[in-house]
Amino acid sequence: MHQFQIVLKDFVNWKMDNSEILERFKHHGSSIYDRLEPVYAVLNKLYDMVLDEETINEDFETIFQVGLNYLHSQFEVIRIYYERFFESNCELFEAYTRLVGYLLFISDFRSDLDEFESQIDFQPLNAVETLLENMIAERDERFDYVAEQLNKAINEIVNQLDFEYVSIIDIFVEIAANLSIELSTNHTFTIGQDI
């Protein structure tokens, strides 16, 4: 339990460092907030359970650790774009969150496929990732075009492996439902339809 208490303190520190930006995103109805909400809500619920009951089971500890690691890595990328590329201007950032969301999705997708790296040709995905980074830097708004390219690249990879991909966000949406957590959005990301 001692190790888990350190993780709980990490979460408190993470919230202190990031809750202001996260609340700003929520206030502006940001799709970035919608993306992170299931993970954030589950972590808050589990944290409250620990405060109320003193202990939670090992599965919840694992879920908490995975969720916190995920928030750390995602928010690191989000802050870079938000603060550096958009100078902490929420309205301007929001205009391009679709592109940032695609980059976050690619990051998730890649990390979930680490074990298959030698079997997969990631070149089409690499090309889309570079395109997205350039589009954000140049304030390019060809959103539908890049979404089409991303779907094509993802489908190519999924077809190489012949399996159904379920994102970490979808998993946390399910966990939130099992914990009776009400989310402001209840959508899932379906490959080939709405990345």
Side-chain angles (χ1 to χ4, degrees), residues 100-111:
V100 175
Y102 292 161
L103 284 173
L104 295 173
F105 176 85
I106 289 172
S107 170
D108 289 354
F109 190 66
R110 264 187 215 285
S111 67

Side-chain angles (χ1 to χ4, degrees), residues 3 6 34 41 48-49 82 87 94 114 120 122 133 144:
Q3 182 66 32
I6 293 169
D34 292 346
D48 289 345
M49 287 168 63
Y82 178 66
E87 299 168 357
E94 188 55 34
D114 271 350
I120 299 172
F122 278 108
E133 289 166 350
D144 292 338

